Amino acid sequence: MPENQTRLGRIEEEYRKELSQIIGYELKNPSITGLISVTKVKVTNDLKYAKIYVSVLNTKNKKETLAGLKKSAGFIRSELAKRVNLRNTPELIFEWDDSLEYGAKIDTILKNIMPKKEEE
């Protein structure tokens, strides 16, 4: 079983890299705005579905951007199939990854709580 997990891990990492490239450079959808990062990809064991976790910075509208990604899923999937040579390319499911935003929020809170070093 661990052998299969390492294979899945390699596939997920390869998908993450390729999806970042496709979304960053190939996608020409006007509703997708901002800097989109593919933070994580989770593939099911049968390789039928892939959950793509994305985080977006400097976007006009998060909902519109996610909807644009979902609309472009067919194009993204076909591009992925061309780049990653596997028997079948999974169905893509896009999800928000709020961890970067959450981290920035926590960072801000900590900066406000912590005493200023310059003042000491």
Side-chain angles (χ1 to χ4, degrees):
M1 192 67 188
E3 194 177 299
N4 191 30
Q5 288 304 315
T6 54
R7 178 174 182 257
L8 269 181
R10 285 198 312 267
I11 290 170
E12 289 170 348
E13 185 54 31
E14 187 63 28
Y15 279 165
R16 193 190 64 71
K17 280 194 286 196
E18 294 299 339
L19 286 164
S20 293
Q21 285 288 314
I22 294 166
I23 292 169
Y25 301 106
E26 311 286 325
L27 216 52
K28 305 280 187 273
N29 187 330
S31 66
I32 299 171
T33 57
L35 180 68
I36 299 172
S37 305
V38 178
T39 54
K40 191 166 81 174
V41 175
K42 291 301 294 169
V43 181
T44 56
N45 287 334
D46 59 3
L47 301 178
K48 293 245 187 281
Y49 297 95
K51 256 191 188 170
I52 318 318
Y53 293 92
V54 293
S55 108
V56 184
L57 297 170
N58 304 331
T59 183
K60 292 179 195 137
N61 185 335
K62 276 178 118 179
K63 281 189 178 124
E64 206 175 279
T65 299
L66 192 63
L69 281 172
K70 287 178 180 174
K71 267 196 187 107
S72 303
F75 168 78
I76 296 169
R77 187 177 179 203
S78 65
E79 282 297 307
L80 190 63
K82 289 177 198 167
R83 295 166 184 228
V84 181
N85 191 13
L86 286 173
R87 194 176 298 133
N88 47 2
T89 304
E91 194 75 39
L92 305 179
I93 302 159
F94 289 96
E95 299 272 333
W96 281 127
D97 181 357
D98 292 332
S99 61
L100 292 177
E101 275 176 44
Y102 183 73
K105 186 177 171 186
I106 296 296
D107 218 32
T108 307
I109 292 170
L110 287 173
K111 279 181 184 153
N112 291 338
I113 294 173
M114 301 291 275
K116 304 276 186 275
K117 294 241 185 266
E118 301 88 47
E119 293 172 9
E120 291 175 4

